[in-house]
Every structure is written in structure tokens, then in C-alpha cells.
Amino acid sequence: MRSPIPIIFGVAWKVSGYSTTLFTYAVDHSTDVGGYVAMESFAGKLHERSGTFNFTHSATTSGEDRDNESFVIIPSSGTGDLAGITGIGGLRNEADGTHRVWLMYELPE
């Protein structure tokens, strides 16, 4: 599935692009307890640097929360101006159902 994800991180953090996602989950629908695992390929811009990179994320839920979260940029997956990117991140689910991504990353000079 290809999903457009326009993202803005505060005033100084500008990210634009899209992500292709491979996603699977297991959940008990009577209690909403479960978890998911996803692999994504991002293509776009971080600030003024263009390219692609891959990341994985996962979490569990007891029905009302996100727990045991993991979000990692895959080492050596960056291309173009994003070659050499490393870092971590996370997802925040808003009350309206919007999913927001945050990143802490490093790029070589």
C-alpha cells in the first residue's frame, strides 16, 4: 500500500514525501489487545535533502495505549542525499485518528 504522509515537525523540522508500508498485526477484537509490526520505505525530503530510507516500527496495546514501541531507521538504507542516515523515531496517535511521526536522525556531512 502506498500512503501519502505530509509531515511537519515543529517550526524548523520540515519533511515531505510518501511511504510504502508492509504491515501486519494480531489483535483480540473483543478487547482491542494486540500488537503490530511494520516495514516502511520513505521517499521525499528531510529539510532540503532528498532521497529514500527504510524504517521499521512496532508496538503493542492493551486497548487504550501504545506500549513496547520500537522505531528504527534501517542502517545503510538511505539513498541520494539521505545516504548514511541513522536514527530512531516514533508514532503518536491523535484523538482524531491522525498518526504523527517524529524522528531523531543523523546524516553525514
Side-chain angles (χ1 to χ4, degrees):
M1 165 175 49
R2 182 173 160 159
S3 310
I5 50 168
I7 307 167
I8 297 177
F9 298 91
V11 175
W13 292 67
K14 292 206 177 196
V15 177
S16 64
Y18 67 88
S19 179
T20 302
T21 307
L22 180 61
F23 179 93
T24 190
Y25 69 98
V27 65
D28 177 339
H29 293 287
S30 67
T31 62
D32 288 334
V33 173
Y36 80 93
V37 177
M39 169 76 81
E40 298 201 37
S41 294
F42 173 83
K45 282 187 175 183
L46 298 179
H47 291 90
E48 294 303 315
R49 296 176 79 164
S50 297
T52 66
F53 64 90
N54 300 314
F55 57 96
T56 63
H57 53 98
S58 63
T60 60
T61 181
S62 63
E64 297 292 324
D65 62 354
R66 285 180 60 85
D67 204 13
N68 302 306
E69 184 175 357
S70 171
F71 188 117
V72 179
I73 296 173
I74 304 299
S76 297
S77 67
T79 66
D81 296 335
L82 301 178
I85 190 170
T86 60
I88 61 171
L91 294 172
R92 185 177 71 230
N93 298 335
E94 302 291 340
D96 67 0
T98 301
H99 291 71
R100 303 217 184 264
V101 175
W102 61 267
L103 295 172
M104 289 180 21
Y105 65 91
E106 292 185 10
L107 284 163
E109 296 292 322

